[in-house]
Amino acid sequence: GVLKTKQSTFTAISPSVVEVLGTELARVAPAVKLEGARMLGPQSVKLELGSHQESSQDGFVYGINGVEDRPLGDGEEELGIVIIVSGGSMDRNKSHLALLRASLLHWGFEGRTATAGNLAFPFSPSDLQCEDGFLTVCGTRDPAFISQWPAIQQNVQDYVSTLSSSEGLTIRFISAGLQGLPRLAVMKVSDGFKGNNTSSWRCETMAA
């Protein structure tokens, strides 16, 4: 069926309860939905930390427009996050990163208003291969998440450690975009770029 919400009304009953009325389920004939994609090849991106990063047509900057194009409002902040897992085999690095990413995306915290996901990811697939492992880039403007970010980060790492051993792995969480932190620029680059310090990375993701 098709869920019609055009006539729906939403009424707050309490801070955590909403009453929804007027939604209609319309019956339709059975149908099949087909989805697919084909790989076009690798896409190279450059990540660079710095206090003077500015946005451009070739990318975006966490702290300015990493989560969305709309400029930050008064009192609003934007947190950019990079998670890097290295030190193990490619499969192990990737699988441990996937657990961290998925747990962080759906982690519960005080003041959470949605369960669909805590973070916005700019790439699909979301995990990128870099020279020494795998990383993921994500961000949020949710003030409740941002205010609790240090605790959320630690809780997620503790939880994932019960699912997958981190022995022999190097796990790095890099925060950017907030006041007092560097900004994180994400840019498309040619295959000729090579990161030459700990503040920049060359990564690849498969474009479909």
Side-chain angles (χ1 to χ4, degrees):
V2 175
L3 197 62
K4 297 183 178 182
T5 59
K6 187 175 182 178
Q7 303 299 324
S8 299
T9 60
F10 301 84
T11 304
I13 303 301
S14 73
S16 59
V17 177
V18 174
E19 180 184 60
V20 182
L21 298 175
T23 303
E24 178 186 356
L25 178 61
R27 300 294 182 182
V28 297
V32 176
K33 180 182 180 182
L34 297 177
E35 294 185 0
R38 65 184 180 92
M39 187 176 68
L40 298 179
Q43 171 182 268
S44 296
V45 296
K46 174 184 177 183
L47 311 180
E48 190 167 81
L49 288 169
S51 58
H52 302 292
Q53 301 292 354
E54 296 183 4
S55 59
S56 69
Q57 293 182 346
D58 295 326
F60 49 87
V61 177
Y62 285 102
I64 300 177
N65 62 343
V67 174
E68 54 183 293
D69 290 335
R70 175 182 60 82
L72 292 169
D74 292 340
E76 193 173 23
E77 294 183 292
E78 184 174 83
L79 170 65
I81 302 168
V82 180
I83 310 172
I84 308 172
V85 178
S86 59
S89 65
M90 288 183 61
D91 287 344
R92 188 174 176 218
N93 293 339
K94 190 173 183 179
S95 63
H96 198 86
L97 176 63
L99 287 172
L100 289 169
R101 168 179 42 76
S103 299
L104 191 62
L105 177 63
H106 298 292
W107 195 258
F109 57 90
E110 185 176 353
R112 188 183 187 199
T113 57
T115 58
N118 302 321
L119 302 162
F121 293 85
F123 302 110
S124 180
S126 56
D127 299 340
L128 292 75
Q129 183 176 353
C130 52
E131 293 179 355
D132 59 350
F134 280 86
L135 65 79
T136 194
V137 184
C138 51
T140 182
R141 292 185 176 185
D142 183 349
F145 184 98
I146 291 173
S147 67
Q148 298 170 70
W149 167 231
I152 293 172
Q153 176 185 331
Q154 187 60 57
N155 290 338
V156 165
Q157 290 189 84
D158 291 345
Y159 170 70
V160 170
S161 69
T162 68
L163 306 176
S164 172
S165 172
S166 60
E167 184 177 357
L169 297 178
T170 300
I171 301 169
R172 297 178 62 194
F173 278 77
I174 300 171
S175 304
L178 302 180
Q179 186 174 2
L181 296 178
R183 290 172 176 171
L184 173 66
V186 182
M187 298 162 281
K188 295 181 181 180
V189 296
S190 66
D191 289 340
F193 170 79
K194 295 292 182 182
N196 56 10
N197 57 61
T198 57
S199 296
S200 63
W201 302 267
R202 177 188 183 277
C203 312
E204 287 189 349
T205 181
M206 300 310 295

